[in-house]
Amino acid sequence: MPTKVIAVANQKGGVGKTTTAVNLAACLAALGQRVLLFDLDPQANATSGLGLEKTEGASAYRVLLGEGNLLDKIKSTAFERLEVVPSEVDLCAADLELARMENHLLRVAAVLQPVLESQRFDVVLMDCPPSLGILTLNAFAASDGLLVPLQCEYYSLEGISMMNRVLNQLRDAGINPRLDIFGVVMTMFDGRTKLSNEVVSEVRNQLGARVFETVIPRSTRLAEAPSFGKPIIHYDKYSSGAAAYELLAQEVLKRLEG
Ligand SMILES: Nc1ncnc2c1ncn2[C@@H]1O[C@H](COP(=O)(O)OP(=O)(O)O)[C@@H](O)[C@H]1O
Ligand SMILES: [Mg+2]
């Protein structure tokens, strides 16, 4: 099977993109998938969440500008079958610098090409910054689909309508004709509150089968794990957060194979 490329995206910050990217990546790897997590957020939270230091010059920045090969930026992690292209703050400049380049929306797609050709990975997950800037649009242009975390809060659906508009523009412009929403995952669910339950039903009403059955609970263990540089399944294997991301990974795998 060709490598599947999924962008974890939502222009809102703090909705669980990085938490989902890191934990889904780890759970897919635990299920036997060879996974590359491509950290495209200058904040580099996915990088540190996997236990890697932020290292000067380690990000994809130079490669995106046309110097070198992304394959040389791939780092292994402490977790089997899980590798990463780290980020660091230099990626901040990428939005501006890329804007000046030819085919500036297709830079990520271009640098991913040798990675896809190498057939080293079954899945590439990209952790996007909290904006619809050029890096995010690049991730959209390079992906087979978007995985959108939505926080269980009012207005969470507003974000998705904006992303849908951008998605349609990229598709209609021929920049990525295959682009679609791969799935929506509800995050930070608190079953004790009416709000969480209402938001989940509302989102399911609106988006139907796109929404994964698995809902990610609010859990302090999930929030703590990154400070130990570990995905939840390696930090607290028997927590509710670990169980949820394991189930999500199974659903994702089914969709990827389906
Ligand atoms: N299910 C969850 N339960 C508790 N805290 C969470 C959960 N998901 C994310 N968080 C915390 O919320 C904050 C924002 O999450 P993060 O994944 O970094 O969002 P984003 O990447 O969208 O900005 C982080 O501090 C993270 O640890
Ligand atoms: Mg993030």
Side-chain angles (χ1 to χ4, degrees), residues 151-229:
Q151 195 177 342
C152 292
E153 275 201 351
Y154 283 127
Y155 308 121
S156 64
L157 272 166
E158 281 180 5
I160 210 156
S161 59
M162 207 185 294
M163 272 193 296
N164 254 323
R165 203 173 313 161
V166 170
L167 185 155
N168 287 327
Q169 282 168 356
L170 289 175
R171 208 160 42 189
D172 296 345
I175 290 171
N176 184 352
R178 69 185 185 288
L179 186 60
D180 209 343
I181 295 197
F182 171 74
V184 171
V185 57
M186 305 300 302
T187 64
M188 299 184 228
F189 177 80
D190 183 347
R192 294 167 305 180
T193 67
K194 209 170 138 201
L195 176 64
S196 270
N197 286 295
E198 280 174 3
V199 173
V200 171
S201 0
E202 170 71 8
V203 170
R204 286 200 195 283
N205 272 338
Q206 296 274 327
L207 304 176
R210 287 213 162 119
V211 187
F212 289 106
E213 295 287 330
T214 309
V215 169
I216 309 299
R218 184 176 281 287
S219 134
T220 42
R221 303 300 270 167
L222 275 174
E224 283 165 16
S227 58
F228 296 89

Side-chain angles (χ1 to χ4, degrees), residues 14 25 39 63 96-97 100 103-104 132 159 180 200 234 237 249 257:
D39 192 350
V63 183
L96 266 178
E97 291 291 330
R100 299 185 225 199
N103 291 328
H104 66 280
L132 285 171
D180 209 343
V200 171
H234 301 290
K237 194 171 165 23
E257 287 166 349

Side-chain angles (χ1 to χ4, degrees), residues 12-20 45 127 130 187-188 216-220 222-223 226 245:
K12 265 184 93 170
V15 299
K17 283 182 294 297
T18 301
T19 305
T20 297
N45 293 334
D127 188 27
T187 64
M188 299 184 228
I216 309 299
R218 184 176 281 287
S219 134
T220 42
L222 275 174
Y245 275 109

Side-chain angles (χ1 to χ4, degrees), residues 3 30 47 76 85 108 117 129 134-135 141 211 215 228:
T3 309
T47 299
S76 56
V85 173
V108 168
E117 277 160 17
I134 288 183
L135 277 173
V211 187
V215 169
F228 296 89

